[in-house]
Structures are given as C-alpha cells and as structure tokens.
Amino acid sequence: MYFVDRSIAVIKPKKPFLEWLNSLPENEVTLSLDDIRSDCTVLMIPEVNEQEDGIAYIDDMADKVFEMELASWAQDSKLWPKSRNLKTFWDWFDVEIHTVLMDSVDQDIHNSPTTDHGLH
C-alpha cells in the first residue's frame, strides 16, 4: 500500500439533480436517488488536512464539476439547467471530502484527459 499525495471528493447528486435527470426526454427509465447515489463520481483533489479546505477547492471548480456531472447524463447542453451557479451546485450535490488516499495497486497510474463526458 502506498500513500498518495491527494485527497478525494465524492460528488453525490441530490433530489434536484434527480428531478432534472428524470425529466430528460430521452430518459426511458425513472431512476431513484439511491440509483444515482450508489456509484458516484470521485475526484482526486490536492491533499488537504481539513474538510473545509477540500470544500473550498470544490467551490473553486464547481462550474466544471457541475458541467461534467450534467454531461455524463445528457451530452446536449441545451438540456442542462440554465442556472448553474455555486448555490445551485450545492443545492444539487452533496460532497464528501476524504483526506487520506491509499493506492493498493503496485502499478503506475495512467492519466488521460476527460474529453468524453459520457460517463453514465
């Protein structure tokens, strides 16, 4: 096991995100909050010692995270909510900050840019 010099943020959709998701025209299945919170996006963030520092980091990139989450369900940005400010982000998502990240795999991590947002 290896300590990684990062912390993590788990992005968990809340009810307003679910309502938007279930209102999408191409959505054929009605999802529940449990459905969309069971396998959430996890972001590696700079190493933090305090939860508040991780939250501040997410505040600074909330617009990117918001768009990434929306795009992972609907590629067409015309379907996205018009208001995507910081308050709306926090109304739509819970964020868990975890300060310790361990790597249990004895291989290098390979990074690639997130050009394809079709995650779900």
Side-chain angles (χ1 to χ4, degrees), residues 31-110:
L31 298 167
S32 72
L33 203 52
D34 286 341
D35 292 332
I36 64 172
R37 289 175 66 103
S38 66
D39 186 15
C40 298
T41 301
V42 177
L43 302 174
M44 287 196 295
I45 62 173
E47 188 174 26
V48 296
N49 293 319
E50 303 293 329
Q51 303 274 323
E52 295 79 20
D53 295 333
I55 294 297
Y57 183 82
I58 295 299
D59 276 350
D60 290 343
M61 62 180 299
D63 55 334
K64 292 179 188 174
V65 176
F66 206 160
E67 289 182 4
M68 178 187 68
E69 288 296 310
L70 294 169
S72 71
W73 293 94
Q75 293 284 328
D76 184 356
S77 62
K78 293 178 190 134
L79 298 173
W80 298 356
K82 301 293 183 242
S83 176
R84 296 190 302 271
N85 58 30
L86 185 59
K87 180 188 180 319
T88 305
F89 174 83
W90 288 108
D91 287 345
W92 282 43
F93 298 96
D94 286 324
V95 177
E96 291 180 3
I97 302 296
H98 298 271
T99 58
V100 178
L101 177 61
M102 301 285 292
D103 189 347
S104 66
V105 179
D106 193 17
Q107 295 175 356
D108 290 339
I109 295 174
H110 300 283

